[in-house]
Amino acid sequence: MAFIRSASDIDLDGLRFAMVSSTASEVDPSSPTVFDYHERDGMVWGEYEGDTVRIGRFVGTRVGRRISIRFTHVVDATGEVVGGAAESRIEPHDEGLRLVEDFRTADGDQVSVCAEIRS
């Protein structure tokens, strides 16, 4: 397990996370949505795609173990463009990090959990 003593030990740049659960949709464990993170000087941004998302982008900030982002993606099944905002907390988990995200779209408030993909 990754041991993180403080929030200053965290660097999201180059990390990948796979969605493991979401209240917004059922997660396909064989092809979950995967998020690629970049980070510099407190800014975070990245891209994602997977089971229900054709393509998505996010941008925001990180302070300590909290991430605040805005996101936009294209729903794979319908082609609809969906946008929203999210607040995530970074937690140590098993063999890496876990992101627990409270997010909001026009459909309402949702929660998702993503686990770090270790290579």
Side-chain angles (χ1 to χ4, degrees):
M1 176 162 88
F3 179 71
I4 299 172
R5 292 176 298 281
S6 69
S8 63
D9 292 339
I10 299 169
D11 183 2
L12 299 174
D13 194 49
L15 296 186
R16 299 187 93 196
F17 293 85
M19 186 173 290
V20 295
S21 68
S22 177
T23 59
S25 63
E26 186 173 332
V27 176
D28 180 352
S30 65
S31 64
T33 299
V34 174
F35 299 78
D36 291 304
Y37 272 76
H38 310 283
E39 180 176 19
R40 183 177 59 229
D41 300 326
M43 299 176 295
V44 294
W45 69 95
E47 50 281 337
Y48 56 103
E49 62 183 55
D51 55 354
T52 61
V53 173
R54 190 174 305 159
I55 189 165
R57 300 285 187 262
F58 62 90
V59 64
T61 58
R62 180 177 70 84
V63 176
R65 293 178 186 249
R66 301 296 258 182
I67 303 168
S68 298
I69 63 163
R70 299 281 183 179
F71 63 87
T72 303
H73 62 254
V74 176
V75 177
D76 193 39
T78 65
E80 175 186 14
V81 176
V82 174
E87 296 286 328
S88 300
R89 66 182 181 273
I90 303 167
E91 301 177 343
H93 180 73
D94 293 341
E95 297 182 25
L97 299 174
R98 179 169 79 170
L99 304 178
V100 180
E101 178 181 70
D102 295 304
F103 66 97
R104 173 175 283 175
T105 66
D107 292 334
D109 295 339
Q110 306 289 336
V111 178
S112 67
V113 177
C114 294
E116 183 179 357
I117 299 171
R118 304 290 287 211
S119 45

